[in-house]
Amino acid sequence: MSRKKAVAGGIGALSALLVAGTVLAPAASATTQAGDSGVNSAFAISATGLLTIKPTPSVDDSDGFSQESVARLQLPANLLDLHVLNGRAGGGGARASVADLKVGLGVGKPLLTASAIEASCGNGKSSSSLAKADIGGTKLDVAAGPNTAVKVPGVASVELNKQVTHKDGSVTVTAVSINVDGIQKIDLASVTCQPGDDNDGGGDNTPTTTAPSSSKATDPSSTTKPTASSSRNAVVPVGNKPLPNGKAPTPTPVKAHLDVTG
């Protein structure tokens, strides 16, 4: 039996158990459509296809800051084993993470293992990270570039740090997205953030300052020099003023100390 058939068989068997009610996926909160909600949101895992898992735990900030955690999600047949699933949204951003995870998809040896994966967005930035991650026997970088594709021949295609920009400007970042030949899709650690507010208020908020005016140097040649007063306007001591009859005034004696020499 090929590995692809083994994967389909394992997922198909689990799907039958889910329909029969033997295995139940964790109850999830009400979810919002990415890029069409006007809110920031996050979830740790979701699956569509033969196996369906609603976004878990699913949070958004429609009513303010929100955070939820699930201690462990384990499914039989070595399909999934995830620990400490976290999701939080609010404060202008969102973050989702999963610890100590194994994704086997029923093929025996785990397809994906990691000690931790995380995705976050906010303030116009988005990123994801992996810790001690291995996929199909290949070690993965801690910080993969946006939309990094990894092929596992005959089993699945994987996209790391998957980033999608929606029509409304919001951005969805998924740390790990697994696609099994179109029959099964699993998203791990996914967040969606709305575009940031530039707060420009329609005007220019750049503060304006008035530069100090430079003082021009005064040309010395243009400076008005004091002119000597004419004799008519000269100030004459009171004792030396001429009398109304034109006679010379009586001299006013001035007391002084004269040194005597000789």
Side-chain angles (χ1 to χ4, degrees):
M1 181 184 294
S2 67
R3 297 189 71 186
K4 184 184 297 185
K5 289 182 179 179
V7 172
I11 296 176
L14 179 57
S15 180
L17 292 174
L18 289 171
V19 172
T22 305
V23 180
L24 298 177
S29 305
T31 59
T32 54
Q33 183 68 30
D36 191 32
S37 61
V39 298
N40 302 312
S41 60
F43 64 82
I45 182 175
S46 75
T48 57
L50 296 176
L51 168 65
T52 299
I53 301 177
K54 293 182 179 180
T56 304
S58 177
V59 297
D60 63 53
D61 60 0
S62 57
D63 294 322
F65 180 83
S66 179
Q67 180 171 349
E68 291 185 17
S69 298
V70 173
R72 187 177 186 181
L73 171 58
Q74 185 179 26
L75 302 180
N78 295 322
L79 286 176
L80 295 172
D81 191 5
L82 316 177
H83 295 75
V84 194
L85 297 83
N86 289 317
R88 70 179 185 184
R95 185 183 300 271
S97 62
V98 182
D100 297 327
L101 62 101
K102 293 180 181 179
V103 179
L105 297 181
V107 296
K109 184 179 180 180
L111 171 67
L112 170 68
T113 61
S115 62
I117 64 173
E118 180 180 281
S120 63
C121 59
N123 299 320
K125 298 180 180 180
S126 55
S127 64
S128 69
S129 61
L130 311 172
K132 297 181 180 179
D134 179 290
I135 186 165
T138 301
K139 293 184 178 181
L140 303 176
D141 293 335
V142 173
N147 305 312
T148 297
V150 179
K151 290 286 187 179
V152 183
V155 179
S157 60
V158 179
E159 198 165 3
L160 308 177
N161 193 16
K162 181 179 179 180
Q163 300 191 14
V164 178
T165 301
H166 305 282
K167 292 182 179 180
D168 64 353
S170 61
V171 177
T172 296
V173 183
T174 304
V176 180
S177 182
I178 303 172
N179 192 320
V180 183
D181 197 32
I183 62 175
Q184 183 65 51
K185 181 181 178 182
I186 299 175
D187 287 336
L188 298 167
S190 183
V191 294
T192 297
C193 283
Q194 300 303 309
D197 183 6
D198 58 10
N199 292 321
D200 61 6
D204 184 4
N205 292 330
T206 304
T208 57
T209 56
T210 303
S213 57
S214 57
S215 300
K216 294 183 179 180
T218 303
D219 184 359
S221 62
S222 64
T223 304
T224 303
K225 296 182 180 180
T227 56
S229 300
S230 62
S231 58
R232 293 181 181 179
N233 297 327
V235 178
V236 181
V238 175
N240 295 332
K241 288 183 179 181
L243 297 176
N245 56 10
K247 295 183 178 181
T250 303
T252 302
V254 177
K255 294 182 179 181
H257 175 75
L258 300 177
D259 293 332
V260 179
T261 60

